Amino acid sequence: MANVKVYSTPTCPYCIRLKQFLKDNNIQFEDIDVASNQQAAQEMVDKTGQMGVPVVNIDGEVVVGFDREKISQLLGL
Amino acid sequence: MYDLIIVGAGPAGITASVYAARQKMNFLVLSKDIGGQAAWSGDIENYTGYQFISGTDLVAKFQEHLKNYTIELKENVEVKALQKENEIFSVTTNEASYRAKTVVLASGKRSKPLNVPGEAKFKNKGVTYCATCDGPLFANKTVAVVGGGNSALDATTQLINIAQQIYLINIAQDLTADALVQEKVRRSDQVSILNDTQISAILGDKMVTGIKIKTKSEEKTLAVQGVFVEIGLIPNSEFIQDVEKNGIGEIKVNCRNETSISGLFAAGDVTDVPEKQIIIAAGDGAKCALGAFRYLNRKLK
């Protein structure tokens, strides 16, 4: 099972769709709300070099935005 | 072959879908992103029936409504070409081609880029086009919002609660946003309004560290960690050439939402309708679906 972390904000439409996509495919993930958790926001910037949500980390591979093809490929869907 | 293809699933496309479903039309919906710009809106306070609702929640309500009907919907596809030949429309996406007797174009608008050096390089590294999405990442930071209209000032008011200091970079002499939101921004001591000012470059290393701005008399650098681009929108209408458009690429429609091509209807922000509002897009979407239905009935006779 892949280790999946999603960095998101509650108001971002692509974040919502990304998480729905993972749920629809029965992928378990850690949902990190960077709006309410400043430390997590900093962690996202440090680890991924990105300052825009959503960011998804799949076993260390970072994908920016809801790139369905790339995410599917990394998860073997 | 479909009776109807609806391009777009924002307020206009979704409402057209509901109406088409209720007429039991055989139709297909092609969508790049459900909800369109409405999904990116912060707070919505002018959609009848809701005194206050977030863009995310309103779109969820729209989708819930749509789920009452069996609708063929292709998500995450982008229309690349649309043409009419021998009374049949062919719609080509990045994945496949479809044919239909009528089309409702509800493809909306997208953010206009600044086209300055550094913009592409620092996208998602300080440069953003969605204050609603990315705003919370700029807590206690100094940021610039570029623009002077409603979307720029909406972004600014959202950022007042988050960022430490905000420069509002406005190319025009005065702000053009609604009076109510202007008042909110002017009242905040965190916001510096720089009118008659142009952004000429975005600077940084790994992340944004500053911007270059120029006025009539001087050029200088401001240290900022974020740049929110809110200078307006451009219509998603490049994939159709033969239809009549206005000077800024919006598709011309009459009061029945008919375009210059028979059987092609258009609704919402992609058209030259005078007001770009969610409720107007939705209403025009309804007119399009009913118009397409009547058009097909007339042809059968």
Side-chain angles (χ1 to χ4, degrees):
Chain A
M1 198 95 176
N3 181 4
V4 184
K5 270 187 189 180
V6 177
Y7 297 92
S8 67
T9 62
T11 44
C12 134
Y14 278 108
C15 303
I16 294 165
R17 281 171 45 214
L18 164 65
K19 288 189 272 187
Q20 191 57 49
F21 173 75
L22 295 174
K23 280 180 199 157
D24 289 347
N25 285 286
N26 294 316
I27 304 289
Q28 292 201 346
F29 60 91
E30 191 185 341
D31 186 7
I32 303 163
D33 177 1
V34 292
S36 61
N37 185 341
Q38 281 311 313
Q39 219 178 326
Q42 195 54 50
E43 180 191 291
M44 180 186 97
V45 176
D46 292 344
K47 279 194 182 165
T48 68
Q50 292 297 324
M51 235 176 154
V53 285
V55 170
V56 55
N57 185 329
I58 301 169
D59 286 333
E61 284 262 6
V62 173
V63 182
V64 186
F66 178 28
D67 184 340
R68 196 160 72 158
E69 268 169 47
K70 196 157 178 203
I71 292 166
S72 301
Q73 187 201 328
L74 288 170
L75 291 168
L77 296 173
Chain B
M1 163 122 66
Y2 295 97
D3 290 338
L4 165 68
I5 289 177
I6 296 170
V7 180
I14 289 181
T15 309
S17 303
V18 169
Y19 275 77
R22 296 180 65 81
Q23 297 294 355
K24 293 205 172 282
M25 292 174 84
N26 166 31
F27 72 104
L28 170 71
V29 186
L30 300 170
S31 160
K32 189 175 158 215
D33 49 352
I34 289 191
Q37 294 169 71
W40 305 86
S41 307
D43 303 336
I44 295 162
E45 298 180 39
N46 52 12
Y47 194 84
T48 318
Y50 298 98
Q51 278 172 36
F52 174 92
I53 190 162
S54 71
T56 315
D57 287 346
L58 185 62
V59 170
K61 292 267 178 205
F62 284 172
Q63 276 185 275
E64 221 173 274
H65 194 162
L66 206 56
K67 277 189 185 141
N68 284 315
Y69 308 98
T70 314
I71 284 169
E72 197 180 339
L73 166 72
K74 298 245 185 294
E75 276 185 72
N76 305 304
V77 294
E78 206 175 330
V79 171
K80 297 287 183 194
L82 166 57
Q83 52 209 24
K84 186 182 179 187
E85 229 170 277
N86 302 325
E87 294 302 298
I88 305 296
F89 289 93
S90 64
V91 184
T92 309
T93 71
N94 50 324
E95 288 180 348
S97 269
Y98 308 92
R99 281 148 47 89
K101 293 173 201 158
T102 62
V103 170
V104 170
L105 208 56
S107 47
K109 281 201 164 100
R110 63 176 186 277
S111 299
K112 199 160 141 185
L114 287 168
N115 289 325
V116 299
E119 181 182 22
K121 184 179 173 197
F122 295 111
K123 188 182 172 197
N124 288 327
K125 297 183 191 303
V127 176
T128 171
Y129 303 85
C130 181
T132 314
C133 312
D134 297 331
L137 297 169
F138 294 85
N140 306 317
K141 293 192 159 58
T142 300
V143 300
V145 175
V146 188
N150 275 326
S151 51
L153 271 77
D154 278 341
T156 307
T157 52
Q158 288 179 51
L159 287 163
I160 286 171
N161 301 320
I162 302 166
Q164 192 176 47
Q165 201 194 348
I166 304 157
Y167 295 107
L168 185 59
I169 314 289
N170 180 25
I171 196 166
Q173 254 174 349
D174 285 304
L175 302 175
T176 55
D178 292 346
L180 205 69
V181 64
Q182 279 200 37
E183 209 179 282
K184 253 191 215 172
V185 166
R186 288 186 202 279
R187 229 187 288 132
S188 166
D189 52 14
Q190 288 160 269
V191 183
S192 317
I193 301 172
L194 307 177
N195 289 326
D196 260 328
T197 305
Q198 214 175 331
I199 179 167
S200 52
I202 297 169
L203 314 168
D205 174 22
K206 278 184 182 145
M207 299 279 171
V208 168
T209 56
I211 54 171
K212 255 194 198 161
I213 55 167
K214 64 175 182 213
T215 62
K216 277 179 194 130
S217 53
E218 59 166 352
E219 196 166 359
K220 63 175 177 178
T221 302
L222 295 177
V224 300
Q225 286 102 54
V227 181
F228 291 77
V229 182
E230 302 283 355
I231 56 166
L233 302 159
I234 39 179
N236 297 314
S237 65
E238 293 91 344
F239 55 83
I240 176 158
Q241 270 95 37
D242 313 330
V243 77
E244 228 174 276
K245 298 176 192 174
N246 67 10
I248 53 169
E250 294 173 339
I251 291 165
K252 285 191 179 180
V253 291
N254 63 18
C255 69
R256 293 187 174 81
N257 290 81
E258 294 161 341
T259 68
S260 61
I261 299 176
S262 65
L264 178 68
F265 299 80
D269 283 13
V270 77
T271 70
D272 65 346
V273 65
E275 305 294 344
K276 307 300 193 263
Q277 297 291 323
I278 295 173
I279 200 156
I280 288 169
D284 279 356
K287 279 159 69 187
C288 280
L290 294 174
F293 179 69
R294 289 208 184 91
Y295 173 87
L296 288 173
N297 278 354
R298 272 201 307 272
K299 287 220 136 188
L300 279 176
K301 273 176 196 163

